[in-house]
Amino acid sequence: MSNDRFLLIKSWSYILWGDVDHVLGQLLVAELTNRIPVVYWPTHCLHNGYILTNGFELYFEPVSNYTIFDVAKPEYTYYPPIWNYENLFIEDQNKDTWIYRNIGDLLSSQENVVVADVYYNIHELIPFIKKNHPAYGMSSHQIYRYLFNKYIKLRSDINMEVQGFYNSWLKGNHPVLAVHVRRAEKDMVFDTRDSKKNGNQYWNKIYKKYKQKPQKKGKKLYRLFAKGKFKEPNRGYHKEIKKYINKYNIKKIFLLTDCEDTLNEYKNIYGSMLVYTNCKRIKNDEPVYHIENPMVVRRRGIEIVKDAYIAAKCDFFIGNDFSNVSHGITRIKDWADKNVKMMYWTFKRRKYPINAMVVVKSDKPSIFTRTAQRVKKLFNRFKKNKESRGELNAK
């Protein structure tokens, strides 16, 4: 590998586990292009806060022996062409336009430094994997595991906290079920009846955001020729938890949640079985505050990373398929398929996302459907009787 070809991986979402997902995809790009990866999360990332400090290295070990200072040299060329050695530390406010960020151009660029500040899913990169690459023939999940195992190493101080908590509360109490429950976002409604129009066909999920007007409890949402009803967020967890308890004789439940109300609910239901870390949580109706103190900011990041790695030490996991935290947990170690349950909604299975209010098709058929079913039933009966009379006449 040439020592003057770099892939500078900058932050994408400013959310810790969302950016870890972004880093994994770009690490694959680095391998496909034979470049040295350098990860740099700047000051404005949610869990950084330190001036001129790499937020990634507050939680994880460097992915290479090089830093952003090694790639900021006057003699180097850069792609996209908006970058130069003087502006690498700042953010491109127009990156959402994706100008100069075509995946083909990034892979074929001959510049010394390619700056990667947009997200590519592993699915999008699989067609570019050649036969001589270790990930050739792997599924997307296997590739994520390969990259995570190779590059993502937890800092020693955080690893000590993880191991200390595990030894104190979970070791010797297996089997343990980890459960990740996101705080319900009250201003979001997912309407499954518009799945074909608003759904992401690739993932087969609904990501359309609706602003919900105040409504009376239990009131249904109606549209022209369509009835709907609400499904409460997070209710489906308890049914799945009960299945695991009955089938695998679960002794402890490790709960990951950012919601104080959820924690109190699970305490009342599961009692002494419940285990959780002492971290910052807020109520359902409280806004999220971004604390400015850098020491506190890193502590909040450690709490998120710590919970995820503790969950990976458990035997079973129930997560949220809309959450980067849950996806990160599934990539920290190799899980058996039967040991992981990701809660989400798909049109065919009629599941639902558990981080938002959901509107689904009413179980009761509309008046038009009932009329059509009745006419069809009468027609089939008439046809059957007619055929019976025809057989008798023939005899």
Side-chain angles (χ1 to χ4, degrees):
M1 181 182 293
S2 175
N3 60 0
D4 64 349
R5 285 173 54 83
F6 299 93
L7 182 71
L8 178 60
I9 307 172
K10 303 186 77 174
S11 60
W12 167 68
S13 67
Y14 316 126
I15 298 173
L16 200 152
W17 279 105
D19 274 328
V20 171
D21 192 3
H22 162 63
V23 166
L24 292 172
Q26 295 297 344
L27 287 171
L28 179 59
V29 172
E31 291 195 357
L32 297 178
T33 56
N34 199 31
R35 291 181 178 274
I36 301 171
V38 178
V39 180
Y40 177 69
W41 291 354
T43 304
H44 54 263
C45 287
L46 181 60
H47 297 290
N48 187 347
Y50 291 87
I51 298 176
L52 294 180
T53 299
N54 187 349
F56 180 82
E57 294 177 12
L58 293 177
Y59 310 101
F60 307 101
E61 298 294 337
V63 298
S64 69
N65 295 324
Y66 295 83
T67 69
I68 190 172
F69 298 100
D70 296 314
V71 304
K73 294 184 178 181
E75 64 268 25
Y76 282 167
T77 57
Y78 297 86
Y79 188 87
I82 61 171
W83 299 107
N84 58 60
Y85 76 98
E86 294 180 324
N87 66 1
L88 284 181
F89 289 92
I90 67 175
E91 180 74 1
D92 179 14
Q93 300 297 328
N94 297 317
K95 67 180 182 180
D96 291 339
T97 63
W98 285 71
I99 297 176
Y100 300 117
R101 289 168 174 85
N102 178 280
I103 188 171
D105 293 337
L106 291 178
L107 292 172
S108 61
S109 174
Q110 297 303 313
E111 275 68 29
N112 297 109
V113 181
V114 172
V115 180
D117 58 357
V118 293
Y119 176 78
Y120 290 111
N121 193 285
I122 293 294
H123 293 275
E124 301 170 305
L125 300 172
I126 287 178
F128 300 96
I129 300 176
K130 298 181 179 179
K131 291 184 178 180
N132 60 348
H133 191 274
Y136 182 79
M138 292 184 181
S139 67
S140 60
H141 183 71
Q142 290 171 333
I143 296 174
Y144 273 118
R145 276 290 304 129
Y146 156 76
L147 294 167
F148 202 103
N149 184 62
K150 183 176 180 179
Y151 291 103
I152 308 300
K153 309 297 180 184
L154 199 60
R155 285 187 64 92
S156 59
D157 61 321
I158 303 177
N159 190 49
M160 288 179 62
E161 288 195 34
V162 171
Q163 195 61 44
F165 185 92
Y166 171 77
N167 291 340
S168 299
W169 298 98
L170 298 178
K171 188 176 181 180
N173 289 304
H174 289 266
V176 181
L177 170 65
V179 181
H180 176 221
V181 184
R182 282 182 59 178
R183 189 171 70 109
E185 300 176 38
K186 296 298 185 182
D187 64 337
M188 294 185 69
V189 175
F190 289 79
D191 193 338
T192 69
R193 297 168 299 165
D194 289 335
S195 59
K196 293 182 180 180
K197 180 187 298 184
N198 300 321
N200 184 322
Q201 294 181 356
Y202 192 84
W203 289 100
N204 199 22
K205 302 174 189 173
I206 308 302
Y207 285 97
K208 184 71 175 177
K209 186 173 182 179
Y210 294 88
K211 289 293 182 180
Q212 180 186 3
K213 296 181 180 179
Q215 297 182 8
K216 295 181 180 180
K217 186 176 180 181
K219 185 177 181 180
K220 295 181 179 180
L221 181 67
Y222 291 91
R223 291 189 180 182
L224 186 63
F225 301 124
K227 291 184 178 181
K229 65 178 182 180
F230 286 113
K231 277 186 175 293
E232 294 185 17
N234 297 337
R235 173 172 287 188
Y237 271 103
H238 298 296
K239 181 178 179 181
E240 296 298 328
I241 291 173
K242 186 177 180 180
K243 289 180 182 179
Y244 277 93
I245 291 175
N246 294 336
K247 187 173 183 179
Y248 298 106
N249 191 27
I250 299 297
K251 293 183 179 179
K252 293 290 183 181
I253 299 173
F254 175 65
L255 177 65
L256 305 81
T257 184
D258 56 352
C259 180
E260 185 178 329
D261 296 329
T262 299
L263 176 60
N264 292 332
E265 174 190 349
Y266 277 63
K267 282 181 181 178
N268 293 332
I269 296 175
Y270 302 106
S272 60
M273 287 184 66
L274 195 69
V275 178
Y276 52 91
T277 58
N278 182 21
C279 64
K280 174 67 176 179
R281 296 182 177 89
I282 57 178
K283 295 183 178 180
N284 274 328
D285 56 353
E286 289 181 346
V288 177
Y289 296 100
H290 302 309
I291 303 174
E292 297 296 331
N293 187 321
M295 295 296 292
V296 176
V297 169
R298 182 176 187 258
R299 187 65 234 171
R300 298 293 172 252
I302 290 176
E303 291 171 354
I304 296 172
V305 174
K306 177 181 173 181
D307 271 10
Y309 274 81
I310 293 172
K313 290 182 174 293
C314 299
D315 304 287
F316 305 94
F317 175 60
I318 300 176
N320 182 337
D321 203 25
F322 281 65
S323 167
N324 289 307
V325 176
S326 289
H327 282 289
I329 293 170
T330 64
R331 293 161 186 164
I332 293 175
K333 76 172 186 179
D334 286 318
W335 295 83
D337 291 341
K338 66 178 182 179
N339 290 14
V340 175
K341 173 68 176 181
M342 297 293 275
M343 303 285 287
Y344 60 94
W345 178 89
T346 60
F347 184 74
K348 293 181 180 179
R349 297 184 181 179
R350 297 200 60 171
K351 297 290 183 184
Y352 51 93
I354 38 66
N355 62 313
M357 294 299 293
V358 184
V359 185
V360 299
K361 293 180 179 179
S362 177
D363 296 330
K364 185 178 180 180
S366 67
I367 186 172
F368 302 104
T369 302
R370 295 198 302 271
T371 302
Q373 290 174 348
R374 181 63 178 169
V375 170
K376 184 178 179 180
K377 186 176 180 180
L378 290 173
F379 176 78
N380 290 336
R381 184 183 298 175
F382 173 77
K383 184 179 179 181
K384 187 177 180 180
N385 292 336
K386 186 176 181 181
E387 290 175 351
S388 299
R389 289 195 298 270
E391 291 177 358
L392 290 173
N393 293 335
K395 290 180 180 179

